[in-house]
Amino acid sequence: KTQPGWVAVEDFLTATVVHPDDALRRAVSSAVDAGMPPIEVTPNAGKLLKLLVQISGARRVLEIGTLAGFSSIWMAQGLPDGGRLVTCEYLTKHAEVARANVAAAGLADKVEVRVGAALETLAALHAEGQEPFDFVFIDADKEHDADYLEWAVRLGRPGTTIVLDNAVWEGAVLDPSMDDVNAPGIIQALQLLGNHPQLEGTVIQTVGSKGWDGFALARVR
Ligand code: SAM
C-alpha cells in the first residue's frame, strides 16, 4: 500500500524545516525499544509546541501525558533559563523512560515527571499552591479531557495558553460510535471549550503520519 502524500510531505518538512535534534530522536527510538506505543506527537507538532512556549513567553509549563518525554523535551527546549516544566504520567515505566530521555537532553534541572493519575497530580499541584502555569499541553486519556481543561484554567491565570491534542480523532467527533472510549471525552471537552466563560479557543485540523486529527488552541481570559 502506498503512503498517502501527506506522510511523505511530513517527512520532507521534518527534514527540511523542523530538524529534531539527537535528544528528540533518542526519545522516539527509546520508546520503540521499550515496547511503548508510538503515540507521541509528530516532530512538526512538537516544534509547534516549542514555538508556542517561546512566543507566549511561558516560564512554567504543565503537561498532562508524558509517554517517553518527546513533547516534554520539545517544550522544555523552548523555556528560558530558570523555566520549569511539570509533566504528569500514570505509568511508572513510561515515567522512567521519560526521565532518562530528559536527562540525556540536558534538561533534568527544568523537567519534573510526576507519576500517578493526572487528576490526582493536578489536585496535588493545586493543594501545594504552585505558581500559576503559563502554558498547558493536554495529551493523556481522552475520557478526562474536559476535566483536564478545567484544571488547566484553575492552575493557570488570565493569558495562559492551552493546547489540547487529538481534537478531531479521524472525524470521530462527529460519530462517537467510531470510538466510544475516547470520542465522548473529546466532544465534551470541545463543547466545554466553546462555552467556557474563561476560555477562548479554536481547533486546527491536521493530516500526517498520525492520520486525520487536530489540536485545540485556547487562551484563558
Ligand atoms: N505527550 C506525549 C508526547 O507527545 O510525547 C504523548 C503522550 S501519550 C499520547 C499519553 C500518555 O498519557 C501515556 O504515556 C499514558 O500512559 C498517559 N496517561 C494515560 N492516562 C493517564 C492518566 N490518567 N494520568 C496520567 N497519565 C496518563
Side-chain angles (χ1 to χ4, degrees), residues 22-102:
D22 289 346
L24 287 158
R25 281 198 291 271
R26 178 200 145 113
V28 173
S29 62
S30 69
V32 175
D33 295 346
M36 291 158 65
I39 51 172
E40 70 281 342
V41 297
T42 57
N44 49 328
K47 183 81 171 275
L48 176 67
L49 290 168
K50 174 188 176 176
L51 289 166
L52 288 172
V53 165
Q54 291 176 315
I55 292 165
S56 65
R59 301 185 63 82
R60 288 179 52 77
V61 174
L62 172 64
E63 178 178 56
I64 305 169
T66 313
L67 196 68
F70 183 68
S71 53
S72 319
I73 293 169
W74 271 116
M75 291 188 284
Q77 287 180 343
L79 283 172
D81 289 346
R84 186 136 194 91
L85 182 146
V86 177
T87 182
C88 309
E89 173 54 52
Y90 183 66
L91 294 176
T92 307
K93 176 181 154 183
H94 291 188
E96 283 170 359
V97 173
R99 285 189 187 115
N101 287 329
V102 163

Side-chain angles (χ1 to χ4, degrees), residues 165-208:
D165 202 12
N166 307 119
V168 173
W169 210 244
E170 299 286 345
V173 287
L174 290 188
D175 180 5
S177 71
M178 286 168 62
D179 180 348
D180 56 13
V181 175
N182 297 296
I186 299 168
I187 294 166
Q188 197 191 346
L190 294 177
Q191 287 169 342
L192 181 68
L193 176 58
N195 290 312
H196 199 297
Q198 285 172 272
L199 287 174
E200 191 168 33
T202 187
V203 177
I204 300 297
Q205 297 191 72
T206 55
V207 286

